[in-house]
């Protein structure tokens, strides 16, 4: 089966921060791939706005370099690069003054979708929103895209929402969480709500527990000053892992439409109980190699910030009563690996007796590397020698059956940018979701501060402090392997 690419409407996309790292690393390579796939109409225009004094050729050279660095040579034929560059303009503009804004307003066209990507520090979001209005750039149907972090606590998130809503309607604000743009995350919703098979099992009677792991092998390198003010709770749990948890735990929405989905996610966040200190393990990586420990890489030698966190959470509603959700995320762990696992209960009675061991079905949704969904089922090990049971994965990604490899699927950023152009907010966080997530996060962080709690140490290249394993062990469970989950349940 050949997949169909449906072109979006022609657009003017203005990237504030068009000379920044995100534009270079994600936005331009993503847009180029959509352009090559035939999704971006050639009469679309991308305007990179920043203070840097570049002329059109200088800026196109900057974009060419970004493509060379982040798109493999085999995927960027010269002709395509040239045509793509024809859609790109640079504008010298200062977000913090009125310089460059009249030129921007003069460039924007009527009759095409208009979107503004705020790929700058959050401190500039307010002034951008205000100047877009003041200089007549904001049309009634235009969209703004806001990058993470969205606030650092409830108060700052509320303030940010207030400022943005002063100038734009909620239906125009697209808050990015790129985890929601991943192919497998959407496939999770298709598998869950498109089949009759799973939903009857999707609750406390059949699910033993859920695990969500987002492990990174890199450290804070180069981002130490930002990261040390955030930590794993703010940087990962409050947004990415909370969003994944919501998609697993939410009730089926009545329709696959933005507000129906986001209403259900919001109910989940409201139902997550606040964890007790015994449900939380915080860690920070250490190394015998000078310069490799967390504290060597941040300025504050007295920092209490965690680079790892594991949580045992409960959701107080009928569906999930008594089912623990174990979340963990950290830096400098054994491997780069993100996975959500729904671990089902064992069969109520084993007709095979105890010697063949207890087996569980696991639905493993892997986000990286090698995005895919596997359902582990128990079968008889083939061959002679009597009854032996083994758990094998059923690949539910069906990349081959659909006639395309996962590598052809749009990556998270490009998919989300196309959704912005289509005007589809389903995979973007709504303001009340973000605030509710902070309302849950804030008291936990406050408690650590009041108790002056230090994170436990863990060696680089491991899976966090010992307490993380003990968190599950004490419940008679264990974390799924970080680097071997494709082959074992
Ligand atoms: P960056 O590399 O520091 O780039 C910042 C951009 O903002 C530059 O293009 C800079 O250009 C522009 N800028 C700064 N002050 C400006 C002003 N007064 N007026 C107009 N432009 C101004 O930052 P980044 O890594 O691209 O990150 C951008 C945003 O994305 C941040 O909110 C960040 O938290 C978020 N984010 C980034 C990543 C990533 O992978 N990089 C991932 C997730 C989220 P000039 O100096 O030329 O003006």
């Amino acid at each position: 089966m050949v997949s169909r690419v449906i072109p979006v409407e022609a657009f003017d996309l203005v990237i504030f921060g068009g000379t920044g790292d995100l534009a270079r690393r994600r936005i331009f390579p993503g847009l180029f791939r959509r352009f090559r796939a035939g999704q971006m109409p050639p009469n679309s225009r991308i305007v990179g706005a920043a203070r840097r004094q570049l002329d059109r050729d200088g800026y196109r050279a900057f974009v060419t370099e970004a493509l060379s660095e982040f798109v493999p040579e085999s995927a960027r034929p010269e002709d395509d690069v040239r045509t793509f560059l024809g859609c790109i303009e640079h504008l010298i503009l200062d977000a913090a003054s009125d310089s460059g804004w009249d030129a921007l307003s003069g460039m924007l066209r009527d009759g095409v979708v208009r979107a503004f990507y705020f790929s700058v520090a959050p401190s500039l979001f307010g002034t951008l929103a205000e100047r877009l209005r003041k200089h007549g750039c904001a049309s009634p149907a235009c969209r703004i895209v806001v990058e993470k972090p969205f606030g650092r606590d409830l108060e700052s998130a509320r303030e940010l929402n207030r400022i943005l809503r002063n100038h734009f309607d909620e239906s125009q604000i697209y808050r990015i969480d790129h985890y929601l743009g991943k192919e497998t995350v959407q496939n999770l919703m298709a598998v869950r709500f498109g089949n009759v098979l799973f939903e009857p099992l999707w609750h406390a009677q059949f699910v033993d527990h859920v695990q969500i792991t987002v492990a990174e092998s890199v450290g804070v390198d180069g981002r130490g000053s930002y990261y040390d003010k955030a930590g794993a709770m703010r940087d990962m749990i409050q947004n990415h892992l909370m969003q994944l948890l919501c998609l697993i735990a939410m009730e089926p929405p009545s329709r696959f439409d933005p507000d129906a989905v986001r209403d259900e996610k919001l109910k989940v966040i409201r139902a997550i109980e606040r964890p007790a200190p015994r449900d939380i393990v915080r860690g920070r990586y250490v190394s015998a190699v000078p310069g490799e420990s967390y504290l060597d890489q941040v300025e504050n030698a007295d920092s209490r910030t965690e680079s790892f966190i594991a949580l045992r959470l409960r959701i107080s509603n009928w569906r999930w009563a008594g089912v623990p959700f174990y979340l963990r995320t950290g830096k400098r762990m054994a491997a780069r690996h993100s996975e959500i696992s729904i671990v089902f209960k064992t069969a109520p009675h084993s007709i095979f007796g105890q010697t063949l061991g207890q087996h569980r079905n696991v639905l493993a949704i892997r986000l990286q590397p090698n995005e895919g969904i596997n359902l582990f089922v128990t079968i008889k090990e083939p061959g002679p020698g009597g009854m032996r049971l083994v758990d094998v994965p059923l690949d539910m990604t069906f990349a081959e059956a659909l006639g395309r490899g996962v590598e052809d699927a749009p990556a998270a950023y490009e998919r989300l940018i196309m959704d912005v152009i289509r005007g589809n907010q389903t995979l973007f966080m709504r303001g009340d979701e973000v605030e509710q997530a902070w309302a849950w996060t804030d008291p936990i962080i406050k408690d650590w501060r009041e108790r002056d709690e230090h994170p436990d140490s863990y060696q680089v290249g491991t899976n966090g402090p010992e307490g993380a394993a003990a968190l599950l062990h004490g419940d008679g469970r264990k974390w799924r392997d970080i680097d071997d989950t494709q082959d074992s349940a």
Side-chain angles (χ1 to χ4, degrees):
M1 186 200 288
V2 179
S3 61
R4 272 188 319 134
V5 172
I6 303 171
V8 294
E9 281 179 62
F11 58 82
D12 279 351
L13 171 67
V14 180
I15 305 167
F16 295 110
T19 53
D21 182 62
L22 186 68
R24 224 167 49 83
R25 190 183 289 276
R26 304 266 189 217
I27 302 175
F28 279 115
L31 285 165
F32 178 65
R33 277 192 293 268
R34 291 300 88 210
F35 171 80
R36 282 204 75 215
Q39 202 164 12
M40 176 181 147
N43 58 334
S44 300
R45 210 169 37 177
I46 304 162
V47 180
R51 292 166 304 178
R52 198 187 300 178
Q53 305 285 323
L54 288 172
D55 60 14
R56 175 190 280 173
D57 287 344
Y59 191 58
R60 288 180 180 177
F62 164 85
V63 175
T64 309
E65 244 173 63
L67 298 184
S68 309
E69 197 174 347
F70 296 106
V71 180
E73 195 171 356
S74 59
R76 54 179 158 84
E78 264 180 39
D79 283 355
D80 286 357
V81 172
R82 203 173 311 114
T83 319
F84 179 68
L85 291 177
C87 304
I88 293 172
E89 303 289 341
H90 180 56
L91 181 69
I92 301 166
L93 172 146
D94 184 2
S97 78
D98 287 329
S99 153
W101 287 87
D102 288 341
L104 174 61
S105 134
M107 283 172 100
L108 296 168
R109 299 172 295 172
D110 290 327
V112 297
V113 173
R114 193 178 288 185
F116 302 100
Y117 199 128
F118 291 10
S119 183
V120 293
S123 55
L124 292 174
F125 291 176
T127 159
L128 281 178
E130 195 185 320
R131 287 195 159 80
L132 282 172
R133 278 270 169 243
K134 181 174 158 192
H135 294 275
C137 302
S139 61
C142 75
R143 290 132 210 189
I144 59 169
V145 184
V146 184
E147 262 301 334
K148 109 175 199 186
F150 199 88
R152 53 170 285 106
D153 53 21
L154 177 58
E155 196 186 334
S156 54
R158 268 191 187 144
E159 176 62 7
L160 212 44
N161 274 333
R162 193 190 60 74
I163 293 172
L164 296 181
R165 287 182 191 138
N166 264 347
H167 304 284
F168 297 95
D169 187 74
E170 179 64 37
S171 63
Q172 297 178 283
I173 306 172
Y174 290 71
R175 297 174 192 79
I176 286 224
D177 184 327
H178 70 274
Y179 273 65
L180 295 182
K182 288 182 180 285
E183 175 82 3
T184 357
V185 170
Q186 289 169 80
N187 202 359
L188 159 67
M189 287 192 271
V191 165
R192 196 183 151 192
F193 300 126
N195 298 283
V196 74
L197 228 57
F198 294 100
E199 201 48 32
L201 305 178
W202 210 263
H203 56 81
Q205 194 181 342
F206 294 104
V207 174
D208 181 74
H209 71 280
V210 175
Q211 297 187 14
I212 304 179
T213 293
V214 177
E216 293 179 89
S217 51
V218 295
V220 297
D221 332 86
R223 286 179 72 223
S225 61
Y226 158 75
Y227 190 90
D228 198 45
K229 293 190 191 80
M233 185 70 159
R234 285 193 175 97
D235 193 49
M236 297 298 291
I237 297 281
Q238 184 274 344
N239 40 51
H240 305 315
L241 277 83
M242 181 86 82
Q243 287 291 320
L244 297 178
L245 182 150
C246 285
L247 294 177
I248 297 290
M250 71 183 183
E251 293 300 314
S254 59
R255 297 174 308 283
F256 188 58
D257 96 6
D259 278 330
V261 171
R262 297 184 302 177
D263 284 348
E264 295 305 335
K265 279 161 56 197
L266 179 62
K267 284 184 210 162
V268 175
I269 306 176
R270 287 198 176 124
I272 305 173
E273 291 176 19
R274 187 179 309 164
R278 65 175 179 282
D279 298 319
I280 305 173
V281 177
R282 295 167 75 222
R284 193 158 59 192
Y285 58 84
V286 293
S287 167
V289 180
E292 292 258 311
S293 295
Y294 179 87
L295 283 182
D296 298 333
Q297 298 171 347
V298 298
E299 280 161 22
N300 179 8
D302 199 30
S303 165
R304 304 282 195 271
T305 304
E306 75 285 351
S307 63
F308 172 96
I309 185 165
L311 296 164
R312 173 174 45 212
L313 302 181
R314 304 231 173 234
I315 299 175
S316 45
N317 61 24
W318 276 40
R319 183 184 284 269
W320 297 115
V323 178
F325 283 69
Y326 300 103
L327 275 50
R328 69 176 159 164
T329 182
K331 294 196 171 290
R332 292 307 307 265
M333 290 177 65
R336 174 172 171 262
H337 176 105
S338 303
E339 191 187 74
I340 306 168
S341 316
I342 320 297
V343 182
F344 291 92
K345 293 191 170 164
T346 53
H349 164 71
S350 171
I351 65 167
F352 305 110
Q354 290 308 313
T355 47
L356 294 183
Q358 284 209 319
H359 293 262
R360 295 176 187 279
N361 298 121
V362 176
L363 181 65
I365 300 130
R366 188 150 160 152
L367 307 182
Q368 63 189 22
N370 311 325
E371 285 195 63
I373 300 185
N374 275 310
L375 176 65
F376 288 89
V377 294
T378 304
I379 61 164
K380 177 192 169 295
E381 197 177 322
M387 180 62 83
R388 292 184 311 273
L389 300 182
V390 62
D391 299 321
V392 294
L394 291 182
D395 183 350
M396 299 177 59
T397 312
F398 300 134
E400 283 177 23
L402 293 174
R404 57 189 260 187
V406 172
E407 67 278 6
D408 291 335
Y413 267 95
E414 59 203 83
R415 180 196 310 279
L416 293 172
I417 296 172
M418 290 300 107
D419 277 357
V420 172
I421 305 301
R422 283 190 205 98
N424 185 340
Q425 288 185 304
T426 310
L427 299 175
F428 296 83
M429 296 179 292
R430 207 168 54 191
D432 51 0
E433 274 184 84
V434 177
E435 288 184 17
Q436 191 62 43
W438 280 122
W440 178 84
T441 310
D442 277 1
I444 302 172
I445 294 176
K446 182 165 170 261
D447 181 56
W448 299 338
R449 213 175 31 236
E450 282 173 2
R451 291 191 288 116
D452 194 24
E453 196 189 87
H454 288 246
D456 299 333
S457 297
Y458 62 97
Q459 286 298 324
V460 298
T462 64
N463 291 330
E466 285 171 11
L471 191 67
L472 270 73
H473 200 248
D475 294 345
R477 302 184 174 102
K478 72 183 190 58
W479 292 105
R480 284 168 54 72
D481 291 342
I482 279 210
D483 45 10
D484 197 21
T485 43
Q486 286 290 57
D487 306 321
S488 66

